[in-house]
Amino acid sequence: MGGYVFPNELEVNWGLFIVLYPYITGLVAGAFIASSLYHVFGKAELKPVSRLSLISALAFLIVAPMPLMLHLGQPFRAFNILWTPNPTSAMAGFGYIYSFYMIIVLLEIWFMYRKDLVQYAETRTGFARLGYNILTLGAKDISPEALHTDHKIVSALAVIGIPSAAFLHGYVGFIFGAIKANPWWSTPLMPVIFFLSAIVSGIALLILIYSVSCKLRDRKIDFACLMSLNKYLWFFIILASTLEILEVVHKGYEGKEEWPMIRGLIFDTIPTTYFGVQMTLGVLVPFILLLLGRSERLATKTRELLTVVSGLLVLIGVFAMRFNVVIGGQLISKSLAGYANFHVGLINDEGIIPTMLLAFLPIAILTVLVRILPPWVGDEPVEEEMEEHKAMPNIVTSQTVSSR
Amino acid sequence: MKKEFTRRDFLVSAGKVMATGLFLPLGSLAIAQKTSFAQEAAKDIAWEKVWEGKEWGFVVDTSKCIGCARCVMACKQENGVPVDKEVYRTWVERYVESANGQINVESPQGGLGFEQGDETSEKQFFVPKLCNQCHNAPCTQVCPVGATYKTGDGVVLVDRKRCVGCRYCIQACPYGARFLHPELKVVDKCTWCYHRVAKGMKPACVQVCPKGARKFGNLKDPESEVSVSIKKEKVRVLKPDMGTEPHVFYIDLDEVVK
């Protein structure tokens, strides 16, 4: 890009895998928050995705550490971060925060599915029967009291899960935001921006997974549910993009020593991915399409399509945002006198194809998970009364599945 | 009679499993600290004695540097840094002010690739760069496994047996002094030739500099060359606003140098 970069900066050290890491973690945190809208805030219209969101969070959570480990110069020493953590390192917390979050998600899923697991263990045969028996962990009491306890535990875990999700992803933002050597990263807003964009990406992912799974299973999309997701996505896009814009405007207004480098970065070095993909395709266009999607003058099919397309655009936009942060930040030379070049190959380390494979691995895991733990609820004939819905959403959920 | 496994029993045992899961790594932390590599090494040498009364410092006199880059080559050879790769423990920058007042900076191959300069320019100078061995080193702060650390006499080192190669320290260093060793796949940086210094020798770059632009010595000894230079000359450190408190002091450093 020209100018002077330090001789050691000719290679960008954190490549596409490290772009993928905050992207995937963000999807996890966002999908979890989406599930909490139902489990904690009682948004009954989100029932059709209440289980799907958690199962998706798990699928992505399993993959989250993979790009990190594969990126290490010494992957076999990865667990040193757990065994001998350096207490002053922000990064050292990763293993602990990740494990804690994994435990919360697994427990919530287990308690949510416990009744189903017991019933599958009774009704299935052969290998599946054995599998489900193991998954029940021997807890086969499905009396109404026991299920009530399950429900309470799920709610409690969902409540704990919200700050945990905020912490999991806010922490990822802190890893970047607390690097004073990098003018594009260094801001206390970074954790907040990361968390809000995580919620945005999680809801967008859910819109996509839900509508695609409905198509594949030949079921009707629950329109109220989709419109609710549309509204939440729209709301969080506004919050996230406001802070993202505020951060840049603030830096520009202050105009400190490093501002010319930041201005040069976004206007001359990464304008396509920043203004084009992140801000226009990922924020402005979906902002308008989502609004249109809520217009009652349009046909239901059109409104569905507008919402789904917005979801896809938002997912692309958030990926661009991660790219612009992770790669963009490294392009600014610490000499503050030039920009580094980012080279990416197709199949080499952290090339485009390995990155795509990792990015789609969670989807592959998800297709397996939904066979073991079917999350489909709400597309059966509704028998329960709405009153009951609101009072004990989870128990209703379990009954709906078991009635199939 | 078969004892029933109640919900309560389950919760209790689940709690135990979780607690064990959480505390096992913490326990290993305590064990690991007892058998750290640093302490194993310390068994052989009484490091506390070696470090006593010492704090190493480095002075660069930019007015003396002629950009011959012998230091760059000596460093690579001394420390096993691949000569043909774009990675440097030390490098030399050239600053040339053009007629329109624009200052051009370059460091082709760390200075090994300098070509004949523009002799018409009125203002031009060389600046050798190396690890600043900061007192408040951001790299040691962010290392997730404690592989990079500061010695008792003020030098930041990397433990090659511990480094996981995450490169967070490279991001945290404001000076671009760190790199991933292309062959060893661990992070590498200038050590002020600690292996030589520990034997009472000077760093390789100091040794080969034909103009005496690089000075090395004990800051705690008021008679040492570095202490005298810092006392007599007007010195500056790089990026003082970063709060890193570098231990490399520059004489006659232009404002444009970052």
Side-chain angles (χ1 to χ4, degrees), chain A residues 3-10 12-14 71-75 77-78 80-92 96 99-100 103 107 110-111 114 136-141 145-147 149-150 153 174-176 178-182 185 257 330 333-337 349-350, chain B residues 5 7 10-11 14 18 22 24-26 28-29 32 86-89 91-93 95 105-107 109-110 129 136 138 140-146 148 159-180 184-186 239 241-244 256 258:
Chain A
Y4 172 64
V5 301
F6 289 137
N8 287 328
E9 292 180 323
L10 293 177
V12 168
N13 273 287
W14 285 358
H71 166 266
L72 292 181
Q74 303 287 342
R77 297 182 192 167
N80 284 4
I81 293 179
L82 276 172
W83 311 143
T84 59
N86 173 13
T88 64
S89 169
M91 195 183 273
Y96 293 98
S99 314
F100 179 77
I103 290 169
L107 280 178
W110 189 79
F111 278 106
R114 209 181 57 83
T136 62
L137 302 177
K140 296 194 173 168
D141 178 4
E145 302 85 64
L147 292 182
T149 315
D150 281 355
I153 293 175
F174 186 82
I175 286 192
F176 294 95
I179 293 299
K180 63 184 169 192
N182 191 314
W185 290 350
E257 184 191 16
Q330 295 176 85
S333 168
K334 286 161 182 166
S335 66
L336 297 186
D349 298 351
E350 301 192 47
Chain B
F5 190 74
R7 164 165 304 274
F10 168 73
L11 285 175
M18 267 178 73
L22 279 174
L24 207 64
L26 293 177
S28 72
L29 189 82
E86 291 282 357
V87 285
Y88 305 88
R89 286 183 171 208
W91 66 97
V92 181
E93 297 168 350
Y95 293 74
V105 196
E106 59 169 354
S107 182
Q109 294 158 56
K129 292 275 186 81
N136 295 324
T140 61
Q141 180 191 25
V142 303
C143 176
V145 295
T148 188
D159 187 338
R160 287 180 173 174
K161 293 199 188 95
R162 295 217 140 191
C163 173
V164 295
C166 72
R167 288 161 264 179
Y168 199 20
C169 56
I170 300 179
Q171 308 292 358
C173 174
Y175 306 101
R178 289 176 163 254
F179 57 89
L180 190 79
L184 305 172
K185 300 291 175 199
V186 291
K239 299 194 181 186
D241 48 317
M242 285 283 164
T244 50
V256 74
K258 294 284 184 294

Side-chain angles (χ1 to χ4, degrees), chain B residues 206-221:
Chain B
V206 176
Q207 186 87 35
V208 299
C209 181
K211 300 295 283 183
R214 292 170 177 252
K215 302 178 172 108
F216 177 83
N218 185 3
L219 294 173
K220 283 191 178 165
D221 171 9

